[in-house]
Amino acid sequence: FKLTANTMTVGKAIDINGNALTTGTAIEVIGNSALIGGKLLHLETTSASATNPVVITADSVNTGTIMQIDAAGITSGNGLLIEGGSGTTLNNGALLKVSATSTTPVNGLMQVEGNSVTTGTVAKISANVLTDGKAFTISSSSNALTNAGSLASLVANSATAGTIVDVSATSLQSGVGLKITTTGLTTGDALQISSGNGMTSGSLIALTTDIDG
């Protein structure tokens, strides 16, 4: 089956209407076990002016999953790979953007669940040639932040040992390991550490050095 519509400018080359579909499938490509370098689905445009060449709309879905990728057998590959933004071409754009107008997203606009991970890494960011840039930025222009709110929250209330936050910069010589700037501070605290009344031989701050002399 081959469809050619090289002179088509408006309209639809293929139109599939499945208004009464409930548990069936409108388009299904299955049964292939010999695929190597081929593709089950290939969508391409060479237009430099395309604004949204691929659109999935499901505004009425409440509790379902709009798009699902199953890759249970993957080992060293990628479930989803997005490539682009070479050199200095990526300025105000982004390879991945999550946007929502919800005011109370209890579980987060983005979730990464790795509840079976023991010794691995759940999320990793690499920026090996970084100079003046930043590998990770959290920003907020809100002036209504209360004591109950925070830009970052790390919670490990069940942990009884280990290190909750580990900062390692073993080659640092003239830089700063941790910097806190609060130039407008009046009655607040730049750093606050609180502890219960069960401390015995521990300490709120422990400073050590290998400098001799």
Side-chain angles (χ1 to χ4, degrees):
F1 175 74
K2 183 178 181 180
L3 174 64
T4 302
N6 290 331
T7 60
M8 185 176 182
T9 57
V10 296
K12 302 174 183 178
I14 299 177
D15 189 353
I16 300 176
N17 192 322
N19 289 332
L21 193 67
T22 56
T23 58
T25 303
I27 299 178
E28 186 173 58
V29 181
I30 62 172
N32 179 273
S33 60
L35 193 67
I36 301 176
K39 302 172 181 65
L40 293 181
L41 179 64
H42 183 194
L43 305 176
E44 179 183 359
T45 178
T46 57
S47 172
S49 302
T51 56
N52 50 358
V54 179
V55 177
I56 299 175
T57 304
D59 291 334
S60 298
V61 175
N62 291 318
T63 60
T65 300
I66 307 300
M67 183 175 180
Q68 179 174 333
I69 300 176
D70 292 327
I74 198 167
T75 56
S76 58
N78 303 289
L80 177 63
L81 175 62
I82 302 176
E83 292 183 325
S86 61
T88 59
T89 58
L90 188 63
N91 295 317
N92 296 323
L95 292 181
L96 178 63
K97 181 178 180 179
V98 180
S99 178
T101 57
S102 174
T103 58
T104 57
V106 177
N107 293 320
L109 296 180
M110 183 177 66
Q111 297 182 39
V112 178
E113 293 186 357
N115 294 328
S116 298
V117 176
T118 56
T119 58
T121 301
V122 175
K124 183 178 181 181
I125 299 175
S126 297
N128 292 331
V129 294
L130 198 66
T131 55
D132 295 331
K134 300 175 179 64
F136 187 61
T137 299
I138 300 177
S139 64
S140 174
S141 59
S142 172
N143 61 356
L145 191 66
T146 66
N147 291 333
S150 61
L151 287 184
S153 177
L154 305 178
V155 180
N157 291 334
S158 297
T160 58
T163 302
I164 306 304
V165 179
D166 188 354
V167 178
S168 177
T170 56
S171 299
L172 188 67
Q173 294 181 349
S174 59
V176 179
L178 178 63
K179 181 179 181 180
I180 301 175
T181 303
T182 55
T183 54
L185 192 67
T186 56
T187 59
D189 303 308
L191 178 63
Q192 185 181 87
I193 301 176
S194 59
S195 176
N197 56 8
M199 182 180 293
T200 56
S201 59
S203 58
L204 292 180
I205 298 180
L207 302 177
T208 60
T209 180
D210 293 332
I211 297 176
D212 186 12

